[in-house]
Amino acid sequence: MSGKLSSTTVKLDEAPDLGALLPSEGGVIWLAEATSLVASGPCLRIEVGAGAGRFERAAELFRQLLEGAEIRDEVDLPGTGPVLFGSWTFDPDAEGSVVLIPSLVFGSSEGLSWRTEVEFDAALAPAHLPLGGRADDTSVEEWMDGVECALDEISQSAFEKVVLARQVTVSGAAPYDQPALTRLLRETYPGCFTFGFQDLVGASPELLIRRVGDVVDSIPLAGSAPRGRTDEQDAAIGRNLFESAKNRTEHALTVSSVTERLQPYCYELVAEPEPSLMLLANLQHLSTKVQGRLKRNASAIELAGALHPTAAVCGVPQEAALHFIRNAETFERGRYAGPIGWMDRHGDGEWALALRCALIEGRTARVFAGAGIVGDSVPAEELEETRLKLQAMLDVLGREDATGAQST
């Protein structure tokens, strides 16, 4: 890759309001407990294409770009210096994955805040990302037929689990405002990974991979239930979820898909022996933390590629489930359920799955949600799960200030 890159990272005396720094068009925002980042200005755009090796190609192009770079960094934490942001398609064979290196990044972590400015002699303005191909909304009848078909395939041992998604399109009274949406999502779902990547906005509960030095973490989720209206009801629903054979089976398949794919990279890998409950505003999930220590220097983006698509968004076995999804769903997922996140020059970074999200184009929002189908699934219950997941984003889109009309 030709061109000369230089960057300067300086410590800020006062922590900025990162949500307020996101431009109304374009830009990238990542709000999380560990590291939060917001990027704007011209970006270097790296085209990685589709197919096998797309994550490795992006990592190699970033490495080449950093060769000979002039980097001044007075903070030196994960997320400082030049940062690569990415949003990947769910389907490995689909076009549309995008990697950007912005010229201006504000960040915060460990009680420190910073500003990074990047100069590159071939910088490109961030391009608009098309919404993609087939975009037909999924009717309830079509989706239920898909679930029945999946159960039939499972009974014939075609696969053990498949995740079927729905799409719903809504329109606002005025164009949606990305900074307003990200603020609302952060307020409503503070424990999630709130993201805005140009036209994709969401608050995901699921960490695909985090790498800091030689330590890696993943927190796969599978098995869902609503929140209760009282503490007693909430606890009872949680107990039922924890004791549900169907949900425990679905969760175990998802955790295994993560540990099996991380094992070759780690000399030490431990998954919690029992899942715990992750409590969100409207849902609770079975959650298991997986942590390992790397035996070789694999970057965060390479690890994300090794894991994706996990059983949390695809199924088991992966290829059979992916084939079924391509034929059964009435829309193309695009970057929904794909990895989204960032990586710095050291290979450290954080990638979530793009869930509880919407693709925004003016007054139109395409909202997505899926449910994991296994042999014991009850179609009506799976439909209700997708309704609850859709509602997380629909409630925010329905707010008057989602268009920025009353945002500050």
Side-chain angles (χ1 to χ4, degrees):
M1 177 176 288
S2 62
K4 180 77 170 180
L5 181 146
S6 63
S7 76
T8 302
T9 301
V10 296
K11 180 181 175 182
L12 300 178
D13 294 331
E14 296 185 7
D17 179 358
L18 295 181
L21 294 173
L22 185 67
S24 59
E25 293 184 5
V28 181
I29 191 165
W30 178 266
L31 303 178
E33 292 183 1
T35 301
S36 292
L37 302 164
V38 59
S40 61
C43 299
L44 172 68
R45 179 186 175 96
I46 299 177
E47 299 288 350
V48 296
R54 56 187 181 144
F55 292 90
E56 291 83 354
R57 287 197 298 273
E60 176 60 19
L61 288 168
F62 191 39
R63 186 194 65 78
Q64 292 177 14
L65 185 66
L66 293 171
E67 288 183 351
E70 297 178 1
I71 298 175
R72 296 173 291 278
D73 186 350
E74 64 181 45
V75 181
D76 198 24
L77 286 174
T80 62
V83 177
L84 176 151
F85 293 88
S87 178
W88 303 81
T89 58
F90 161 77
D91 191 329
D93 290 341
E95 298 287 344
S97 299
V98 179
V99 173
L100 303 174
I101 302 171
S103 59
L104 180 62
V105 180
F106 288 88
S108 65
S109 180
E110 300 181 14
L112 296 176
S113 298
W114 63 86
R115 182 185 72 247
T116 298
E117 296 182 9
V118 177
E119 293 184 359
F120 186 78
D121 61 16
L124 304 174
H128 174 71
L129 303 177
L131 293 182
R134 288 184 297 131
D136 298 332
D137 279 1
T138 314
S139 71
V140 169
E141 294 76 13
E142 288 172 323
W143 196 80
M144 295 289 274
D145 287 344
V147 174
E148 294 288 359
C149 184
L151 289 171
D152 184 59
E153 293 287 308
I154 290 171
S155 71
Q156 298 179 51
S157 301
F159 41 76
E160 294 181 78
K161 173 186 175 180
V162 67
V163 178
L164 281 182
R166 295 174 58 199
Q167 174 185 279
V168 173
T169 302
V170 296
S171 297
Y176 291 109
D177 181 86
Q178 188 192 29
L181 288 172
T182 53
R183 282 193 292 271
L184 292 172
L185 287 166
R186 191 62 177 169
E187 292 168 5
T188 308
Y189 305 101
C192 292
F193 300 94
T194 303
F195 57 86
F197 193 107
Q198 299 190 331
D199 57 358
L200 184 65
V201 180
S204 174
E206 186 150 1
L207 174 67
L208 179 63
I209 194 73
R210 177 191 300 118
R211 196 204 93 158
V212 180
D214 67 346
V215 178
V216 293
D217 294 290
S218 181
I219 306 179
L221 309 178
S224 306
R227 298 297 304 273
R229 295 185 178 181
T230 65
D231 290 343
E232 293 77 11
Q233 186 185 48
D234 200 44
I237 293 172
R239 283 194 301 272
N240 289 337
L241 173 61
F242 191 82
E243 296 169 0
S244 163
K246 176 262 178 186
N247 284 292
R248 290 295 290 263
T249 297
E250 181 186 349
H251 186 75
L253 288 170
T254 301
V255 174
S256 293
S257 77
V258 170
T259 57
E260 289 171 4
R261 295 177 203 172
L262 279 181
Q263 190 66 61
Y265 296 88
C266 299
Y267 68 84
E268 178 183 303
L269 187 66
V270 178
E272 292 175 327
E274 288 287 317
S276 57
L277 292 176
M278 176 182 285
L279 304 180
L280 303 176
N282 67 333
L283 281 167
Q284 45 191 317
H285 301 285
L286 292 179
S287 164
T288 294
K289 183 176 181 178
V290 178
Q291 186 172 79
R293 301 189 77 89
L294 294 173
K295 62 184 178 183
R296 59 187 180 87
N297 189 29
S299 69
I301 201 170
E302 292 173 273
L303 294 168
L307 288 172
H308 181 73
T310 70
V313 290
C314 184
V316 178
Q318 182 190 96
E319 285 303 317
L322 183 58
H323 177 76
F324 184 85
I325 289 168
R326 287 167 173 162
N327 289 284
E329 292 183 351
T330 61
F331 64 99
E332 292 179 357
R333 293 190 183 186
R335 290 175 291 128
Y336 158 67
I340 188 165
W342 60 272
M343 184 177 77
D344 66 16
R345 70 187 189 277
H346 299 301
D348 291 333
E350 200 166 46
W351 297 86
L353 293 174
L355 306 174
R356 313 296 194 275
C357 62
L359 277 167
I360 306 297
E361 187 173 44
R363 295 175 55 247
T364 300
R366 285 166 52 189
V367 187
F368 310 92
I373 312 302
V374 293
D376 293 336
S377 289
V378 177
E381 294 177 358
E382 303 296 347
L383 179 67
E384 175 63 10
E385 181 178 325
T386 65
R387 187 193 67 79
L388 288 169
K389 291 176 177 177
L390 286 167
Q391 203 61 46
M393 194 73 208
L394 291 173
D395 284 346
V396 171
L397 290 166
R399 293 270 300 268
E400 185 177 357
D401 45 352
T403 61
Q406 296 184 11
S407 60
T408 57

